[in-house]
Amino acid sequence: MILIPKRQIKEALYVFLFVQVFTWPVGLAVVELNLIEYPVRFFPNALKSSFTLEYLVNPVICVFFIHYFPRSSKRIIRVGYYVLWTSLLTIAESIIEKYTDLIEYINFTWYYGWLVLLFVFYISDLGYIWYFNVKNNKKPQPAD
């Protein structure tokens, strides 16, 4: 909340909730299909998915992704922004998977993770554009 300007809290909250709506069930499905396992997690008796990752971390990351998205830049810059964010998060997730017990890939690989993150960013951006009626890749003007 500190890094998002007060006049854009409504946008940030929308993105946060929008991303929760689809990362939560997708995260549960990935675990139930035995693609990923979360050995260390909150609520271990209630669910097999990572509450922290699917319900908090991914939505917060998407809020910052959307907030700093270079809407008025050239297409190559916007595509590079997608690739950069997706790649950095995939590298971080791969390091976490290799050196901690927070994530274990069973029938999953880093490139599946890269594609899933790219999809999450794309869907969250589409949801933002749709809800706030963003035209010509320009940020909406905040209401005074």
Side-chain angles (χ1 to χ4, degrees):
M1 296 298 261
I2 295 169
L3 300 174
I4 303 293
K6 204 177 218 181
R7 68 182 187 280
Q8 294 176 325
I9 293 295
K10 181 173 97 174
E11 294 173 21
L13 186 58
Y14 170 78
V15 171
F16 184 82
L17 294 172
F18 181 81
V19 173
Q20 279 182 336
V21 165
F22 69 89
T23 59
W24 184 250
V26 169
L28 291 172
V30 166
V31 169
E32 290 300 321
L33 294 171
N34 291 322
L35 300 175
I36 292 179
E37 185 178 291
Y38 299 100
V40 177
R41 62 190 184 274
F42 289 117
F43 315 118
N45 296 329
L47 65 144
K48 295 179 185 177
S49 184
S50 173
F51 177 83
T52 307
L53 182 65
E54 307 299 345
Y55 205 67
L56 298 173
V57 175
N58 283 343
V60 167
I61 288 171
C62 283
V63 165
F64 287 110
F65 175 83
I66 296 296
H67 179 70
Y68 294 107
F69 192 85
R71 299 230 170 262
S72 57
S73 297
K74 294 179 182 177
R75 171 171 262 160
I76 189 75
I77 300 295
R78 294 191 314 258
V79 169
Y81 186 80
Y82 271 100
V83 171
L84 177 68
W85 274 74
T86 304
S87 299
L88 289 175
L89 289 171
T90 301
I91 290 168
E93 184 176 282
S94 295
I95 291 169
I96 290 169
E97 192 271 334
K98 185 174 183 178
Y99 295 108
T100 71
D101 286 335
L102 297 176
I103 303 172
E104 271 187 38
Y105 292 164
I106 299 170
N107 296 313
F108 201 75
T109 61
W110 68 267
Y111 50 88
Y112 290 149
W114 194 89
L115 291 172
V116 168
L117 281 171
L118 184 65
F119 177 74
V120 168
F121 286 141
Y122 183 69
I123 293 297
S124 64
D125 194 33
L126 284 180
Y128 172 80
I129 289 168
W130 169 76
Y131 188 79
F132 289 101
N133 199 21
V134 177
K135 296 198 191 301
N136 300 326
N137 270 331
K138 304 284 190 235
K139 280 195 172 200
Q141 296 302 317
D144 293 327

